[in-house]
Amino acid sequence: QVQLVESGGGLVQPGGSLRLTCAASGSIFSIDFQAWYRQAPGKQREWVASITSGGSTNYADSVKGRFTISRDNAKNTVSLQMSSLKSEDTAVYFCYAQGIRGSGIYDAALWGQGTQVTVSS
């Protein structure tokens, strides 16, 4: 009934930009916390950025100054604007939501299916 769907992934050249969007669908009233994670082949999933319902943001050191996370509480979406992309940013990117409330939902957490980002010439 409730799901997260990422979009915007693809192939981009080093130094380029890309914007990812995660849409939460279903009978949702609010979401307390949203974040982006990424996972490269053979590597553990790592946290990239997060944002609270109040708009407070945090970033991993590896992306600070290059990535920007934002959310639209009315639309229940969260985005990740990525700039000055490097080959090291290549990974599957996942969105995550925690503290989901809705009809018959008091507190839920979900992961999206992931979207591939490839930075290469």
Side-chain angles (χ1 to χ4, degrees), residues 17-72:
S17 299
L18 206 60
R19 184 178 180 87
L20 306 181
T21 300
C22 175
S25 63
S27 301
I28 298 172
F29 296 159
S30 62
I31 303 174
D32 290 340
F33 176 87
Q34 293 175 288
W36 287 94
Y37 290 75
R38 66 187 182 186
Q39 187 169 23
K43 304 293 184 180
Q44 292 186 314
R45 188 173 299 184
E46 65 173 342
W47 168 76
V48 175
S50 59
I51 187 168
T52 68
S53 60
S56 297
T57 60
N58 285 287
Y59 299 91
D61 288 341
S62 60
V63 306
K64 194 172 298 181
R66 300 188 298 120
F67 290 11
T68 301
I69 188 171
S70 61
R71 66 184 287 170
D72 186 329

Side-chain angles (χ1 to χ4, degrees), residues 7-13 15-21 36-38 48-49 59 63 65-70 79-86 88-94 115-119:
S7 62
L11 175 65
V12 64
Q13 293 182 310
S17 299
L18 206 60
R19 184 178 180 87
L20 306 181
T21 300
W36 287 94
Y37 290 75
R38 66 187 182 186
V48 175
Y59 299 91
V63 306
R66 300 188 298 120
F67 290 11
T68 301
I69 188 171
S70 61
S79 297
L80 186 68
Q81 178 65 49
M82 305 182 292
S83 300
S84 301
L85 284 163
K86 309 172 182 179
E88 303 94 282
D89 296 317
T90 296
V92 177
Y93 283 70
F94 300 87
T115 185
Q116 177 71 48
V117 172
T118 302
V119 184

